[in-house]
């Protein structure tokens, strides 16, 4: 069962590695400067020098795609990491300690959940101004509640189990118990939540950039590329095609990774498939 799960992880991990490699090596892989304009060749079709053509300002589309991967992936992963650290900490403390600690950690998270996510993001970006840093901050705030609630539920289930009682019996303090006993045993659902958050953050980042509230032009972003291509559909529809394909491929790859992680860490799914040969996922 574990080997089957590992095989399912191979393809999405390879896809994520390729996207991450393209983002990290953007300066070496991009054939041209992504912000250099050449208005005399605006909307030019693909050529030997510009494999995917040039956009409405004559910028190289392939270069902007590669650099856009760096922007989208870095914002999404960094926001998910910050939200994960904060949310997991709040969920651990609230779920294990309970009482007043629960009130000031997990229950306060419900206040954030009461705001519509997109409206909250629009409000913060409008107040602080657009940009990658502001966008990362906004997405971190949006996704803290998801991590906190997942962690809180897992801790409630785990704190009464025998291995936690055994660690407590040998004198493990609360910080050590949370960090070295409970957290490693609930890491599976948290990894699944992390992959879901990265995919969702990429969608929100592209949407806010499309609205002009995310990455600031002329910095390359898939959302900005989609926004710019909207007015040139009659002249060169491929300018809309490439960023859309890149965004869809990246999100599908992350979602496949999420499914594979769930199969690996959920024994019920793996057992049902091994016994029946049928995917038991809902």
């Amino acid at each position: 069962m574990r080997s089957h799960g590992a095989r399912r992880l191979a393809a999405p991990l390879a896809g994520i590695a390729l996207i991450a490699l393209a983002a990290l090596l953007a300066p070496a892989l991009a054939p041209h400067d992504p912000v250099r304009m050449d208005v005399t060749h605006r909307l030019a079709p693909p050529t030997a020098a510009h494999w995917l053509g040039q956009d409405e300002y004559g910028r190289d589309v392939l270069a902007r795609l590669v650099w856009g991967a760096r922007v989208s992936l870095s914002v999404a992963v960094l926001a998910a990491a910050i939200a994960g650290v904060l949310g997991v900490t709040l969920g651990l403390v609230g779920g294990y300690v309970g009482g007043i600690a629960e009130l000031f950690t997990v229950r306060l998270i419900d206040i954030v959940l009461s705001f519509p996510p997109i409206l909250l993001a629009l409000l913060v970006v409008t107040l602080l101004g657009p940009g990658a840093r502001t966008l990362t901050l906004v997405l971190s705030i949006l996704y803290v509640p998801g991590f906190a609630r997942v962690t809180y539920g897992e801790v409630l289930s785990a704190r009464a189990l025998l291995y936690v009682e055994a660690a407590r019996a040998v004198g493990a303090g609360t910080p050590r118990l949370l960090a070295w006993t409970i957290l490693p045993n609930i890491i599976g659902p948290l990894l699944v939540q992390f992959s879901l958050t990265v995919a969702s953050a990429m969608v929100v980042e592209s949407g806010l950039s499309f609205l002009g509230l995310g990455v600031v032009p002329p910095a390359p972003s898939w959302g900005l590329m989609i926004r710019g291509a909207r007015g040139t559909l009659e002249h060169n529809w491929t300018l809309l095609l490439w960023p859309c394909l890149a965004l869809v491929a990246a999100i599908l790859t992350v979602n496949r990774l999420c499914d594979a992680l769930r199969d690996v860490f959920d024994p019920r799914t793996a057992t049902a498939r091994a016994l029946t040969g049928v995917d038991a996922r809902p």
Side-chain angles (χ1 to χ4, degrees):
M1 289 184 289
R2 288 291 181 181
S3 60
H4 178 79
R7 288 195 300 269
R8 285 179 58 85
L9 276 173
L13 281 177
I16 293 294
L18 286 176
I19 297 173
L21 194 61
L24 290 173
L25 299 179
L29 294 177
H32 300 278
D33 187 341
V35 299
R36 181 178 179 275
M37 294 186 290
D38 182 9
V39 293
T40 59
H41 296 91
R42 60 188 303 269
L43 303 176
T47 63
H50 303 277
W51 292 0
L52 300 182
Q54 294 167 264
D55 67 4
E56 67 276 14
Y57 294 109
R59 298 170 298 194
D60 185 74
V61 174
L62 178 58
R64 292 185 66 79
L65 276 179
V66 174
W67 279 93
R70 166 178 281 198
V71 173
S72 296
L73 197 62
S74 61
V75 169
V77 171
L78 185 58
I82 295 173
V85 171
L86 296 177
V88 169
T89 302
L90 293 175
L92 284 171
V93 174
Y96 184 79
V97 178
I100 193 69
E102 178 183 351
L103 177 64
F104 282 99
T105 54
V106 179
R107 297 310 171 192
L108 286 179
I109 291 299
D110 294 338
I111 298 176
V112 179
L113 287 174
S114 66
F115 290 93
I118 295 297
L119 292 181
L120 180 61
L122 290 174
L123 174 63
V124 176
V125 172
T126 302
L127 293 176
L128 299 180
R133 292 183 179 180
T134 303
L135 199 54
T136 302
L137 174 63
V138 170
L139 295 177
S140 301
I141 296 173
L142 289 179
Y143 295 118
V144 165
F147 282 99
R149 295 188 72 85
V150 169
T151 306
Y152 174 74
E154 293 295 324
V155 172
L156 287 181
S157 301
R159 67 181 183 181
L161 297 179
L162 291 178
Y163 70 87
V164 178
E165 294 291 341
R168 191 183 298 117
V170 298
T174 298
R176 181 179 179 82
L177 192 66
L178 292 176
W180 300 103
T181 302
I182 295 180
L183 182 59
N185 285 280
I186 64 172
I187 198 66
L190 297 181
L191 289 176
V192 174
Q193 179 66 23
F194 182 82
S195 61
L196 283 172
T197 301
V198 170
S200 178
M202 293 180 71
V203 174
V204 176
E205 180 273 325
S206 297
L208 291 177
S209 295
F210 177 83
L211 295 174
L213 297 173
V215 178
V216 179
S221 165
W222 291 340
L224 282 177
M225 293 179 69
I226 295 172
R227 180 187 181 185
R230 184 181 53 175
T232 60
L233 286 177
E234 295 182 359
H235 304 284
N236 191 344
W237 59 270
T238 60
L239 295 180
L240 180 65
L241 174 66
W242 300 123
C244 288
L245 285 179
L247 185 60
V248 169
I251 293 173
L252 284 178
T253 302
V254 176
N255 284 339
R256 290 297 297 170
L257 177 63
C258 175
D259 290 341
L261 286 172
R262 183 174 60 179
D263 289 346
V264 170
F265 290 106
D266 187 351
R268 293 170 298 180
T269 302
T271 302
R273 183 182 293 108
L275 293 177
T276 65
V278 176
D279 195 335
R281 292 175 293 171

